[in-house]
Amino acid sequence: MDKIRRLISVAAGGCLLAGLSGCATTAGNIDSAAELAREAGEPAATVVFGRFELLRNGHEVAFGDGIFASSATLNLAEAGSAQPIVGRIGRDGEFAWALEPGTYRVTSIGFRYQGQKIQPPTGFTFTVPAGYRASYVGTITLEASFDRGLLGTRAQVERYTISDDCAAECDGRLSRLGLDADQSTRTLFSWERSVAAAE
């Protein structure tokens, strides 16, 4: 019985420590009108949507939900807040997150390769405007070369690009979210600084 009490005490202490250390908030990917209705607890939140593409050694990485599927996150920081936000990427690299109006910076992009976490820093910012239900931010493409050596995986960032694919994507995405085009705006990612490589 004492062992159980000790384990409960240690677990509770760990939870308290995690809470005090400022753990990141997770922005789950919203893929439908039903998910949006559950997620949008605050009327001021705007759905920020776009896409992430990873080209690994010239080949596009497919993202999905399965156990062996590749996954990725965009790690965000809101201006004036110390609370980091982890934005999850959904299938086909799509993302849609409910965020409060403000200015955000993408601090890094995280993904796994052969069991190793790769997280190159980035230099993008975007604004979530007030007065809209949705905001399209564009497509980030990360081109990188990967090789495996004695010390693990080495990832070399070749380049980042930002593209505006709204003409092809916005209508379908807004329809899935149950939103109209006149409720949406476009505030594309902008480049803040150059990042050459990540290991």
Side-chain angles (χ1 to χ4, degrees):
M1 193 64 158
D2 285 339
K3 281 186 179 180
I4 293 173
R5 282 192 190 123
R6 237 179 286 135
L7 284 173
I8 291 172
S9 175
V10 168
C15 290
L16 178 62
L17 184 60
L20 293 175
S21 65
C23 294
T25 300
T26 300
N29 186 57
I30 301 167
D31 197 39
S32 67
E35 289 178 8
L36 177 57
R38 282 194 302 271
E39 194 74 28
E42 303 208 16
T46 299
V47 179
V48 173
F49 69 101
R51 195 162 175 269
F52 169 63
E53 293 178 342
L54 173 62
L55 297 179
R56 185 171 61 211
N57 297 335
H59 302 284
E60 187 172 349
V61 174
F63 296 105
D65 297 326
I67 256 187
F68 298 108
S70 295
S71 63
T73 60
L74 296 186
N75 303 303
L76 313 174
E78 183 180 8
S81 173
Q83 182 77 20
I85 301 167
V86 177
R88 297 202 181 277
I89 303 296
R91 70 171 187 274
D92 300 325
E94 294 180 346
F95 60 84
W97 312 308
L99 297 175
E100 297 298 317
T103 300
Y104 293 80
R105 188 165 54 89
V106 182
T107 58
S108 63
I109 297 172
F111 52 89
R112 293 199 170 277
Y113 178 66
Q114 295 186 349
Q116 186 172 338
K117 176 90 174 189
I118 310 290
Q119 196 159 292
T122 62
F124 303 109
T125 60
F126 64 96
T127 300
V128 179
Y132 290 93
R133 294 288 314 280
S135 179
Y136 174 74
V137 291
T139 299
I140 292 179
T141 302
L142 166 56
E143 297 179 42
S145 58
F146 291 75
D147 58 62
R148 191 145 174 88
L150 294 174
L151 300 176
T153 300
R154 184 176 189 284
Q156 176 77 31
V157 174
E158 304 295 337
R159 69 179 183 153
Y160 293 101
T161 56
I162 301 168
S163 54
D164 182 353
D165 300 321
C166 190
E169 296 181 4
C170 284
D171 287 345
R173 298 287 300 281
L174 290 169
S175 177
R176 276 194 349 235
L177 295 170
L179 300 173
D180 297 324
D182 61 356
Q183 297 175 298
S184 179
T185 189
R186 210 180 313 197
T187 54
L188 297 178
F189 291 111
S190 62
W191 186 245
E192 188 178 70
R193 63 185 169 82
S194 178
V195 179
E199 293 186 31

